[in-house]
Amino acid sequence: LKPPRGLIRDRSYEILVDNRPAYSIYAIPGELAASDTTFTILSEILERPAEELQDVYERRRRGTFQKVKIARYIRFEQLARIEERKLDLPGVFYDIEPRRSYPAGVLAPHLFGYLGEISEQELEKQQSNGYEQGDVIGIKGVERVYEKDLRGTEGYRFMEVDAFGREVQVLGHLGEKLPYPGKDVVLTIDAPLQRLLEQIMADKLGGAVVLNGQIIAMSSKPDYDPDIFTKPIPPSVWNSLNTNPDKPLYDRVLQGLYPPGSTHKIILGIAGLETGLLTPKMTFFCPGSFRLGRRYFGCWNKGGHGTVNLRQAIEQSCNVYFYRAIQRVGLKNWVHYSRLFRFGMRTEVDLTGEAQGLVPDSVYFDKAYGKGQWSAGQLLNLSIGQGDLLATPLQVAFFAMSLANRGRSFRPFIVKEKYDPLAEGEKTVPTMPDTVHIRGISEATWDFIHQAMYDVVNGANGTAKSAHPGQIRVAGKTGTAQAPKGDDHAWFIGFAPYADPQVAFAIFLENGGGGGA
């Protein structure tokens, strides 16, 4: 007896992922009549070639009385026709399985993951946990990470059947055990905000994350309708997803590695202030470019910013200031503060497939370019968040949250709690976040960085003036990073309200042109 799979809910218990019954067809090898007759009849009803059905049967067959799944998620009218022809199909029966549905209008396929039939390799690992051939299992995302909770526990009942597999009576004296449903998983996601974020990102390539200590909205675009995976996927549909140049199967939030661009200039600013190698009053002149040997490294403002201090350089995102700043601060300090904010490390979010990112140091450069073969040009690229530096949108969102909270933060997580729908309230199992405290940064530096990020949105020359929403004061930082092809990538990170931050965010647009836009 299969248990109902647990539901997936938002933070306010709105159902995001539900179950509906689906019918699959099985056969017991020891009870089948002439197999060619069986598969001819099934072929006509299921509208699939008899050879294909028989091939599935032969590949999955393991023993005389071990059931073999022949077809998954058939239509109800097909089920009715099979039942009508029960006498012609001894040894063939149906079972009800959970098929996911998405009633809330939240897509988030990279977040939810999906269910699929257990593979041969997975079955070898999972047999001790009661899985059988033909069972469905979580493949990615929440469905995968919380499979053990969502699955529930199977039950059993002994039935007497006749030679045609028809049920005659329940053999109650042999005992029975009812299936125990899976736990509902409650996400940190806020469904209305998630729907809005998905709507805003609908026609874009990129990723966006909003946090309030927890992940309250997260979207990777383009994506796909998760309903595609609630039934067997035709090869044509699977191929179109795999060959689509926009890569809808690719989770840009967790797996996408991109240079964080000018958002990372804040790290260099903090490193300079904390080491005393930069001061708030120290100025550099920006004529629109910086010469290193025979090469010129440009500022985004070709006319130059003139003489600017650090606060003005953050507000206006002046490249030349930071080209000069990293000459003083040095690679070692830059690496130390980058890693202090956990760049180059996974956030350990409770989802699948998270990429690690990269903070290049001297060891990396020696290995990549040869000992002593790399130049100060690499350093200039790092100073503006480009070159070999790589991060995921989730890592950058964690950075924004750490800035908002002045170094006190949480490991991002997506599941708020798990609860047993048949038990009392005390059965709720909260998932507690790990606290992360970035130590060793003075309150004066935090004050300075907050003020500079306020200027980015609210200052006369701020690169994010168009993000000024009116009554709510936002602090932020734009970022533009060169892409291997096409327009530049665009970033915008920040937090709000400025005086008492409640949310932090990171928005990334692949080939978006520029963070200011």
Side-chain angles (χ1 to χ4, degrees), residues 343-360:
F343 282 94
M345 306 176 199
R346 293 182 181 90
T347 67
E348 303 299 338
V349 66
D350 48 340
L351 288 169
T352 53
E354 184 182 15
Q356 184 169 325
L358 173 65
V359 174

Side-chain angles (χ1 to χ4, degrees), residues 252-263:
R252 286 165 166 82
V253 170
L254 289 183
Q255 297 174 298
L257 288 171
Y258 309 96
S262 299
T263 64

Side-chain angles (χ1 to χ4, degrees), residues 472-489:
I472 299 172
R473 296 294 181 184
V474 178
K477 181 72 189 81
T478 57
T480 304
Q482 289 180 343
K485 56 182 179 180
D487 294 333
D488 291 342
H489 297 322

Side-chain angles (χ1 to χ4, degrees), residues 334-348:
W334 178 89
V335 168
H336 171 73
Y337 282 92
S338 295
R339 290 180 177 162
L340 197 63
F341 282 90
R342 303 177 77 85
F343 282 94
M345 306 176 199
R346 293 182 181 90
T347 67
E348 303 299 338

Side-chain angles (χ1 to χ4, degrees), residues 155-171:
Y156 57 84
R157 177 182 292 136
F158 292 90
M159 305 291 298
E160 180 184 341
V161 297
D162 64 16
F164 296 102
R166 293 178 298 195
E167 296 174 359
V168 176
Q169 62 176 325
V170 176
L171 303 177

